[in-house]
Amino acid sequence: MTKYNKNTLSRVDKFFERLSEKYNITISELDCVAYVTQEPVPFSDRLSGEKKVLRIGDHWGDLFDCAWFCFSTKLPEEYAREELALLIDVSGEGLVYDQHDGPVLGLTNGSIAYEYGSIRKHVLPLELCTISDGNLQVWVDAGCNDLFGHYIDSGDLKEAYLVRRLPHMRAFYYDFFVLRDALNNLGADTPRYAAILKALNDSINIIYDFTEAEALAARLVLKKEIEKKGGDPSLTITAIGHAHVDLAWLWPIRETVRKGARTFATVIQMMKRYPDYKFGASQPQLLAWMKDYYPQLFAKIKGLVKEGRFELQGAMWVEADTNLTGGESLVRQIIYGARFWKEEFGVEVDNIWLPDVFGYSGALPQIMQKSGLRYFMTQKLSWNEHNPFPYHTFNWKGIDDSEVLVHMLPEETYNSPASPTSIRLVEKNFHEKGVSDQALVLFGIGDGGGGPGTYHLEKLQRLKNFADFSPVKQRFAKDFFHDIDSNTAEYPTWKGELYFENHRGTLTSEAKNKMYNRRMEQSLRELEFASVLAEKYLGLPYPQEMLDTVWKEVLLYQFHDILPGSSIRRVYVESVARYEILDGEISERIHSVYEQLANGLTAFNSLSFEREEYIKAEGKWYLASLPAMGHAKLTQIAETSPCLLVGEHDLENEHLRVTFAEDGSITSIF
C-alpha cells in the first residue's frame, strides 16, 4: 500500500468515527416517569409499581427488574413532525406499547462483538407515538437486562431525547459504511480499491458543517461506486432475516416471552420501511406465546405469513437438544411443531432448523425422513476446535442410511452483519463452491437484539449486485433448499452422528433436570398406554388435551440450553419446581387408571417385549410372566423370594454382583 493510500485510509477512518453521531440532532430531554416491579405486569396494571420520576443518569432498577416507562414532551412548532424522533435507552430492553394497537417496536441496548454489527435499536419515529394537541406520550415496557441477560450501565436511564433526524446524512453514512467495509475485502493494488478510496476521500472534502445539503452532494460523489454492478456470478447468496432467540439461557423463561414481542414488533416496523425485507422464525413455542400474551402482534404476524414476507422455519416445537432427548420426544417435537404451523398458519414446513444445538444424533435423518422432512440447517459445528467439520452443503446419512440434505452456514454465524465482509467470508469459507453456486446467510441480532435493524437492511439495499462481490438476494430459506436439491449426487456425504466438540459438559451438568426429563418421558408414555386400555375396556375418555399440554411443557424444557444445563440457576429452580408438580400429577393419574383397570391383583407391562418379574403384593412374592404391552393377573406365587445379598462393598441378586470401592465408585459388575 502506498503512503498516499495509508494516509487517506487513516483520514477516512477518523471521519467515519465522527459520522455515526451526525444524523440526529438533539432538541430537548424528555420527561420520564417509571413504575418499577420485580416481575412483568400487563399494560392494564402499568401504574401498580413503585413510581420513580427520572432524569437522564438516574438509577431505576436492578438485574431483571421490570418497569413501565412513560415518556412525554411538548412538541416544538418550528419542526415538521416527519423530521422528529425519540432516542430512548433504559440500560436494557424495552417494548414500545400502544393501548389500542399493542406492541409497536422493540428497543435494545447492550454490547456485542463488532463483527456481528450494531445491536442498538434506540430510535423511535414520531409516527409511532401518541400525540394530542402537540403533546407527545409513549409507554415502554422495559426489562433491566441486555440481550444476553447482563446488567449494564447500573440500571440507569441513559437516553431520553427528542431529536431532529437528518435522512440524507444517514443515507450518506450507510453509503460510506459499505464502501469503507469493501476496502477491507479488496486488494489494495486493484483498480476497484483505488476508485473507492478516492471517492470516499472526495466525499469528505464536501462535509464541513454536516448539513443535509452537504450530505446530498457527498452522496452524489459516492453514487458511481455504490451503483457499480457485478457480472455473471459464480455464487449467489440467499439472505433471510433472523433473530435466534434462546427460550431460556442467561435469563428466565418469562423474559423470553417479552424478548419475542420486542423482536417481532421490530420486524413488523422494519417491513413497512424496507419492501425487500424477508424474515424467518422457528420454534412454534415462541409464536404460541405471542398468541397467548400478545394476540394483536400474533395477528399481524399471520398477515405477514400470508403476504409471503414472514417465513416459518423448522418443524420442531423448540430448537431442542438431540443428545439427551429421547427418540419419542424428538418425534413429539416434530408432531407438535408441524401441527402448530399447519393449524395456525396453514403452512407445512419441510426442514429442521437447529443453528445452535450442541451436536446432532445420527437418528435424526431417519426421524426426519419418516416425518416427511427433507432439509436440515445448522451452524454450530463450525465451532469445533480440533476436527473442523469438512462440509457446508452435504448429504447426511443416518444410522439406518436414511438421507437428508444439509446446509451449514458458510459465514459461520447466524448473526450476520450483512456487510461486504459477510459476503467475502461466505466466498472464502464455502467448502462446496464450484459444486454448488448458492449459499445461505442469516442476518440480524438474536436473543433480544430485535433481529435485523436499519443497520442490516440499509447495507443489503446496496449489496444486491455490488461490483466484485457475490450478489445477495433476500428470499425464503425454503426456496434456497429447493434450488440446491437439484444436484445432490455431486455433494459429499456424511454418515452417522454430527459430533460437536465444544460444550461436552452439558452431557452431565444439572443432573436433576436430566433425571426429571427422562422420568417424564417414561411416565407420559406409561399414562398414554394405560389410558388406551382404559378407553378400550372401561370406556373412559382419552385425556388428549391434558397430555398435549404436559407434553408441550416437557418439550419446552428440552430446549438446547435448559436440558443440557447451560442456563442460569433461576431457570433450573423454576423448571425443577414445575417438573415436581408434573411428575406428581402424572404418577397419580397412572396409579388411578391402573386401579380402575385392575380386576384383582393385576400387573401391567407397557414395554414392547415379554417380561418375567418378581412382584411383591399383599406381603407375598409373585413371579409374573407378562406379554408385550399387555397385562396378567398375579396368580403364580413364587416358590422363593428374589435373592438380594448386601455386603459391605457389594450388592448381589440372581442376575448381578456389583462391587464398590471405598469412594463409592464401581470396581466390577459381574
Side-chain angles (χ1 to χ4, degrees):
M1 183 182 290
T2 66
K3 183 177 180 181
Y4 167 79
N5 282 358
K6 287 183 179 178
N7 291 340
T8 306
L9 192 62
S10 175
R11 183 183 188 227
V12 164
D13 288 342
K14 289 177 181 177
F15 176 80
F16 185 63
E17 290 178 7
R18 297 169 60 204
L19 185 58
S20 63
E21 303 171 356
K22 298 298 184 181
Y23 49 79
N24 292 313
I25 300 174
T26 301
I27 296 175
S28 61
E29 184 176 341
L30 304 174
D31 295 324
C32 176
V33 179
Y35 300 87
V36 183
T37 57
Q38 285 192 322
E39 294 298 312
V41 297
F43 181 80
S44 57
D45 296 330
R46 64 192 181 280
L47 304 180
S48 61
E50 178 188 356
K51 182 179 179 180
K52 294 185 177 182
V53 178
L54 302 172
R55 305 295 296 176
I56 293 173
D58 289 347
H59 174 78
W60 71 268
D62 298 320
L63 181 62
F64 295 131
D65 276 353
C66 306
W68 279 97
F69 281 81
C70 181
F71 296 97
S72 59
T73 192
K74 178 72 174 179
L75 296 178
E77 296 181 358
E78 59 265 33
Y79 299 107
R81 289 187 179 179
E82 58 268 19
E83 293 182 85
L84 303 179
L86 307 184
L87 297 188
I88 295 175
D89 185 339
V90 298
S91 294
E93 298 182 276
L95 176 65
V96 179
Y97 198 93
D98 181 85
Q99 60 179 323
H100 303 296
D101 203 32
V104 174
L105 183 71
L107 303 173
T108 299
N109 188 22
S111 58
I112 194 168
Y114 172 77
E115 60 265 26
Y116 295 134
S118 171
I119 66 166
R120 288 194 82 198
K121 295 181 173 66
H122 65 142
V123 179
L124 177 60
L126 221 63
E127 60 262 27
L128 302 181
C129 305
T130 301
I131 302 172
S132 177
D133 296 327
N135 294 302
L136 174 147
Q137 185 183 81
V138 62
W139 286 93
V140 177
D141 181 17
C144 197
N145 53 271
D146 75 350
L147 76 166
F148 286 137
H150 297 149
Y151 183 52
I152 58 170
D153 300 319
S154 302
D156 298 338
L157 177 62
K158 288 190 66 180
E159 285 184 336
Y161 297 115
L162 177 68
V163 300
R164 178 177 171 234
R165 296 189 289 180
L166 303 178
H168 292 305
M169 189 60 69
R170 189 187 72 165
F172 172 56
Y173 168 83
Y174 284 109
D175 288 345
F176 203 98
F177 187 116
V178 167
L179 291 173
R180 174 61 188 91
D181 192 66
L183 292 182
N184 291 332
N185 299 280
L186 293 167
D189 56 351
T190 62
R192 175 77 162 139
Y193 185 100
I196 289 176
L197 186 59
K198 181 180 185 303
L200 290 172
N201 189 54
D202 290 348
S203 73
I204 295 173
N205 293 335
I206 295 173
I207 304 294
Y208 289 93
D209 298 316
F210 291 89
T211 65
E212 285 286 80
E214 290 176 350
L216 198 56
R219 289 199 73 198
L220 290 175
V221 173
L222 301 182
K223 188 174 187 289
K224 179 181 177 182
E225 295 305 320
I226 281 289
E227 294 183 353
K228 278 185 179 177
K229 305 300 181 186
D232 294 333
S234 297
L235 179 68
T236 299
I237 295 172
T238 292
I240 179 79
H242 185 68
H244 175 72
V245 179
D246 289 306
L247 301 189
W249 180 29
L250 304 177
W251 52 86
I253 288 174
R254 63 87 158 151
E255 193 59 27
T256 308
V257 179
R258 285 144 54 88
K259 284 175 178 285
R262 298 166 194 145
T263 297
F264 296 134
T266 300
V267 168
I268 291 167
Q269 292 302 330
M270 291 294 107
M271 285 189 173
K272 293 176 181 178
R273 292 166 52 188
Y274 298 95
D276 290 341
Y277 179 27
K278 287 183 169 59
F279 177 84
S282 63
Q283 306 194 100
Q285 171 67 87
L286 189 58
L287 274 296
W289 282 331
M290 298 304 104
K291 180 182 179 182
D292 292 342
Y293 292 95
Y294 302 97
Q296 294 158 304
L297 183 59
F298 185 71
K300 293 175 184 177
I301 293 171
K302 294 185 83 167
L304 291 172
V305 171
K306 288 182 179 179
E307 290 176 24
R309 305 285 305 278
F310 193 112
E311 181 179 29
L312 305 175
Q313 300 162 333
M316 297 178 74
W317 184 249
V318 303
E319 291 177 9
D321 166 84
T322 73
N323 293 318
L324 300 155
T325 303
E328 172 71 14
S329 291
L330 291 174
V331 173
R332 297 285 179 143
Q333 290 280 358
I334 294 170
I335 288 174
Y336 287 112
R339 182 182 296 167
F340 184 87
W341 292 148
K342 181 68 174 175
E343 291 180 351
E344 293 292 341
F345 297 92
V347 172
E348 293 183 0
V349 300
D350 55 11
N351 62 74
I352 293 291
W353 193 270
L354 298 179
D356 190 34
V357 174
F358 311 153
Y360 309 97
S361 166
L364 273 177
Q366 180 184 27
I367 294 173
M368 288 177 61
Q369 198 174 87
K370 289 180 177 294
S371 303
L373 306 175
R374 302 166 60 188
Y375 310 114
F376 184 84
M377 195 288 297
T378 185
Q379 180 273 323
K380 200 74 169 185
L381 298 180
S382 67
W383 290 19
N384 279 2
E385 293 180 353
H386 306 292
N387 299 285
F389 195 77
Y391 311 129
H392 286 114
T393 296
F394 62 97
N395 300 304
W396 181 20
K397 279 191 175 183
I399 53 180
D400 72 331
D401 284 339
S402 295
E403 193 170 296
V404 295
L405 179 58
V406 180
H407 185 72
M408 190 168 79
L409 305 174
E411 193 180 354
E412 300 185 348
T413 179
Y414 42 81
N415 291 314
S416 174
S419 63
T421 296
S422 303
I423 300 174
R424 200 60 101 213
L425 281 172
V426 174
E427 294 170 344
K428 176 184 176 182
N429 294 341
F430 189 28
H431 290 304
E432 283 66 55
K433 54 179 176 266
V435 176
S436 174
D437 62 356
Q438 297 192 56
L440 182 66
V441 162
L442 308 185
F443 66 91
I445 299 296
D447 281 336
T454 300
Y455 176 88
H456 303 87
L457 295 162
E458 286 287 339
K459 286 183 289 179
L460 284 171
Q461 285 185 328
R462 294 158 171 82
L463 294 173
K464 293 178 183 179
N465 193 15
F466 190 65
D468 292 317
F469 291 81
S470 296
V472 182
K473 296 180 179 179
Q474 291 193 59
R475 62 178 190 147
F476 282 179
K478 70 175 182 180
D479 298 324
F480 161 80
F481 273 113
H482 293 169
D483 285 351
I484 68 170
D485 199 8
S486 59
N487 60 333
T488 55
E490 297 186 34
Y491 301 147
T493 297
W494 182 271
K495 175 71 183 288
E497 175 187 13
L498 300 179
Y499 179 67
F500 180 51
E501 292 177 348
N502 289 10
H503 300 1
R504 286 183 292 272
T506 59
L507 295 173
T508 54
S509 60
E510 296 296 338
K512 198 168 189 179
N513 254 58
K514 292 172 170 59
M515 175 199 73
Y516 271 122
N517 174 69
R518 189 68 76 237
R519 183 181 292 178
M520 290 304 301
E521 288 178 326
Q522 294 167 345
S523 296
L524 283 167
R525 182 187 179 279
E526 191 77 24
L527 178 57
E528 289 174 325
F529 172 75
S531 299
V532 168
L533 296 181
E535 184 179 40
K536 178 178 180 180
Y537 294 112
L538 302 177
L540 297 178
Y542 187 80
Q544 186 68 62
E545 185 176 350
M546 181 277 297
L547 286 167
D548 287 346
T549 300
V550 176
W551 259 116
K552 287 176 182 177
E553 187 168 358
V554 172
L555 299 180
L556 166 60
Y557 300 146
Q558 291 169 350
F559 179 76
H560 66 259
D561 278 309
I562 302 178
L563 179 58
S566 48
S567 294
I568 58 173
R569 181 175 181 272
R570 177 170 169 177
V571 173
Y572 297 104
V573 171
E574 294 176 351
S575 60
V576 166
R578 285 296 302 155
Y579 269 137
E580 290 173 347
I581 293 170
L582 295 174
D583 183 49
E585 290 177 350
I586 298 301
S587 296
E588 287 180 12
R589 281 179 174 269
I590 293 170
H591 183 73
S592 174
V593 173
Y594 278 146
E595 271 196 333
Q596 295 177 74
L597 282 166
N599 181 10
L601 289 177
T602 306
F604 296 87
N605 174 28
S606 66
L607 301 182
S608 58
F609 50 84
E610 294 181 4
R611 298 169 64 189
E612 186 174 84
E613 301 282 348
Y614 282 105
I615 299 173
K616 190 174 186 180
E618 297 181 351
K620 299 178 182 178
W621 282 100
Y622 294 86
L623 185 60
S625 296
L626 302 172
M629 301 192 77
H631 55 92
K633 290 184 178 181
L634 296 181
T635 57
Q636 183 182 358
I637 298 177
E639 296 179 1
T640 58
S641 62
C643 168
L644 178 62
L645 302 176
V646 180
E648 185 176 357
H649 296 295
D650 53 74
L651 294 172
E652 182 179 350
N653 62 15
E654 68 271 29
H655 301 297
L656 295 172
R657 181 189 300 122
V658 182
T659 305
F660 300 87
E662 290 291 341
D663 64 358
S665 60
I666 295 174
T667 58
S668 71
I669 300 177
F670 177 79

